[in-house]
Amino acid sequence: MALSKELQNFAIEELKTLARIPSISFPGFDHSEIDRSAEATAVLLRKSGFQNVELLRIDGCFPYIVGDWFVDKKFPTLLLYAHHDVQPPGREELWKSPPFEPVIRDGRLYGRGTADDKAGILVHAAAAKHYVNLSAWPPVNLKIIIEGEEEVGSSHLFSFLKQNRERLEADVIVVTDTGNIKSGIPSLTTSLRGLVTVEIEIKSLKAPLHSGMWGGAVVDPAAVLIKMISKLTDDNGKILLKSIGRIPKAKKFRVPITKKEFASMAGVLKLNSVPDDFVSKTWYEPSLSVNAIQASSEKLANNIICDRAYARIGIRLTARENANRVHKELVRKLKAMTPSSVEIKITESEAADAWSTDPYSKRNRWAFEAAEAALEKGFGQKVVYMGCGASIPFIGPFENALSAPVITFGVEDPLTLAHSENESLFISDFYKVIDSEIEFFNAIGTQKK
Ligand SMILES: [Zn+2]
């Protein structure tokens, strides 16, 4: 079944409406925009057939939007998840069109949040709207939850889950915040990496100094911070923390993507920088990135000694690590190697465990079979099972609390550039995912609970 033109227009126009709202959850941005996007999402869900739609807050957390569409208790209940907060736009000058004015170029919708994850919201909304357009009921019961703090680590998740457990109870969880391995190839994600981040500030002076007048006699905080960061990994990039598990021999994967394609999609400049086991490296091994580093700037580069240096470090984790343990050891190690001649402050950190699931287990199999069939109908292509190097802190705790299978329908592809400048959504895949979710409702609806 292909989507009706009416439903396609609905999906793309409503997506543009949401993507025009700069709902950035990071500190330092105007958070009233998150309230605005929560309100707009609530309006959209009501239009799409959901009932009891409301904004939920817990102790100062950005609003969740929840709703449901109860049909009949003999049907299975699905819990649909996406998030409405977005990453900051990054370097605005690199955007080919303004980040919060979504436009279509070459079959892709460009703009911050067009893919991650406002497209995810629209997949659920449009799949439900399909039944509204037909004046019909879906063959399943639906519950929906749209989060407002996913991009900043979902720190209120556990209290939210505790307070709203009953209203979230479901037989299957459907998440639309992942990607497909390649444009046009439907993929089901069975593992996600965890994440630990820290922000480090090193201070040694009240103000920057002339490097000629003072150099040699005062401590340079930028040099100190660089040395500290360099001690976190060895020359091969191996992370030097005891809480990081030993990396097992790389698994071989049959994936429909070559090293050259991978390099080209990533935009790497030197092909020799990509290892042969790039799949295993991104799906199943930990990695450390220096997300940001700042002392002075290129614009202000001058013969000075900076007063302060800053860095943000992020470590992606596998199921072998415990995020809290890694976080604790990282902070301890940074503090231990700080010379007594400077001040250190470590702030704004998050810790989320990795997640993985077995699609063939007794509990999960029925849902994965239905998902596979639905995606094959929606895309006209065989499904690829994949890992994913990114993190969605929501999934693990919800899977555990509800003891239900987690199905991921991805709206991203390798050209999406989520979190980077010129983020975009491949529109043809977007329609196919909506179609697949409708097929999934049909497939799962005929199953016995
Ligand atoms: Zn996301």
Side-chain angles (χ1 to χ4, degrees):
M1 179 199 77
L3 284 195
S4 69
K5 259 267 155 319
E6 185 190 359
L7 197 55
Q8 289 187 2
N9 285 340
F10 171 83
I12 201 84
E13 290 310 316
E14 294 288 338
L15 173 55
K16 284 185 194 163
T17 302
L18 288 189
R20 284 190 193 105
I21 306 171
S23 48
I24 305 162
S25 49
F26 278 57
F29 290 86
D30 179 3
H31 291 156
S32 69
E33 297 289 358
I34 303 192
D35 288 305
R36 211 153 69 80
S37 96
E39 294 290 353
T41 302
V43 170
L44 167 68
L45 295 186
R46 286 185 195 113
K47 246 192 261 186
S48 309
F50 289 96
Q51 292 146 17
N52 307 311
V53 175
E54 58 173 321
L55 271 53
L56 283 185
R57 281 169 208 275
I58 35 160
D59 41 275
C61 146
F62 300 133
Y64 288 83
I65 306 98
V66 295
D68 55 55
W69 190 346
F70 179 78
V71 182
D72 191 315
K73 67 174 189 299
K74 73 175 188 240
F75 293 140
T77 299
L78 309 186
L79 175 65
L80 312 175
Y81 169 87
H83 63 88
H84 70 99
D85 64 320
V86 298
Q87 289 271 329
R91 294 158 294 177
E92 302 235 10
E93 69 276 12
L94 294 185
W95 282 83
K96 293 197 183 100
S97 51
F100 295 104
E101 291 170 29
V103 285
I104 297 174
R105 288 193 302 272
D106 304 325
R108 304 186 71 93
L109 180 68
Y110 284 84
R112 173 59 83 232
T114 53
D116 182 14
D117 183 30
K118 286 170 176 170
I121 303 174
L122 256 306
V123 170
H124 300 319
K129 183 69 160 54
H130 167 75
Y131 298 94
V132 176
N133 290 356
L134 295 177
S135 307
W137 299 85
V140 283
N141 301 307
L142 299 175
K143 292 182 177 181
I144 190 161
I145 162 180
I146 309 294
E147 193 190 354
E149 57 166 20
E150 197 275 343
E151 299 292 4
V152 284
S154 307
S155 57
H156 295 82
L157 197 62
F158 285 99
S159 20
F160 178 80
L161 189 51
K162 230 175 169 176
Q163 290 175 29
N164 296 283
R165 166 80 203 261
E166 241 162 76
R167 92 188 272 180
L168 300 172
E169 209 66 56
D171 301 299
V172 182
I173 304 167
V174 184
V175 174
T176 47
D177 190 22
T178 54
N180 295 314
I181 193 153
K182 207 171 174 177
S183 319
I185 306 284
S187 315
L188 284 165
T189 299
T190 56
S191 73
L192 292 155
R193 288 195 287 187
L195 178 63
V196 162
T197 66
V198 291
E199 292 192 55
I200 314 157
E201 187 189 25
I202 298 287
K203 268 172 110 172
S204 64
L205 296 165
K206 285 186 179 151
L209 289 177
H210 188 293
S211 65
M213 307 279 283
W214 306 93
V218 298
V219 178
D220 178 346
V224 169
L225 181 57
I226 290 163
K227 251 187 210 149
M228 288 168 62
I229 293 171
S230 73
K231 285 180 192 159
L232 295 176
T233 50
D234 72 8
D235 289 348
N236 299 316
K238 186 179 165 243
I239 304 166
L240 301 174
L241 292 173
K242 287 194 197 78
S243 51
I244 301 275
R246 244 191 57 218
I247 298 164
K249 216 169 148 282
K251 292 186 208 166
K252 283 245 182 329
F253 297 98
R254 284 168 55 88
V255 289
I257 172 172
T258 65
K259 181 165 147 174
K260 233 178 159 167
E261 284 175 312
F262 177 84
S264 136
M265 289 186 297
V268 304
L269 301 181
K270 303 265 190 175
L271 184 61
N272 68 2
S273 68
V274 178
D276 291 335
D277 58 347
F278 63 92
V279 173
S280 197
K281 280 263 180 315
T282 51
W283 293 359
Y284 300 119
E285 292 182 23
S287 65
L288 182 145
S289 313
V290 182
N291 308 131
I293 184 156
Q294 182 183 333
S296 181
S297 67
E298 190 171 343
K299 217 166 147 188
L300 300 173
N302 207 339
N303 297 323
I304 57 165
I305 299 166
C306 298
D307 53 324
R308 155 188 195 274
Y310 161 93
R312 185 184 199 266
I313 305 285
I315 302 182
R316 299 284 172 176
L317 303 170
T318 72
R320 294 183 295 275
E321 285 87 32
N322 173 301
N324 278 324
R325 217 174 292 152
V326 173
H327 178 248
K328 270 197 194 120
E329 189 189 351
L330 177 64
V331 171
R332 216 186 314 124
K333 182 163 178 141
L334 285 167
K335 285 187 173 160
M337 62 174 141
T338 308
S340 59
S341 52
V342 299
E343 288 176 4
I344 183 170
K345 201 167 113 193
I346 298 177
T347 45
E348 280 304 333
S349 41
E350 62 179 88
D353 282 322
W355 168 79
S356 69
T357 195
D358 174 8
Y360 307 105
S361 75
K362 211 172 145 206
R363 188 195 75 189
N364 293 342
R365 196 182 303 153
W366 67 292
F368 274 89
E369 275 170 4
E372 211 180 299
L375 282 167
E376 289 188 8
K377 273 192 190 154
F379 279 73
Q381 293 280 347
K382 275 232 159 296
V383 168
V384 171
Y385 281 85
M386 64 182 284
C388 173
S391 316
I392 309 178
F394 164 92
I395 291 186
F398 268 70
E399 182 189 32
N400 289 340
L402 305 182
S403 188
V406 178
I407 299 296
T408 54
F409 289 139
V411 285
E412 297 177 15
D413 68 337
L415 301 178
T416 288
L417 297 177
H419 296 199
S420 183
E421 293 88 6
N422 300 304
E423 173 179 348
S424 70
L425 171 77
F426 185 41
I427 297 170
S428 138
D429 276 4
F430 175 52
Y431 294 152
K432 287 175 184 168
V433 179
I434 297 171
D435 200 5
S436 303
E437 187 152 311
I438 297 166
E439 294 289 357
F440 183 65
F441 292 174
N442 292 331
I444 208 100
T446 57
Q447 302 250 11
K448 279 219 175 67
K449 270 183 76 168

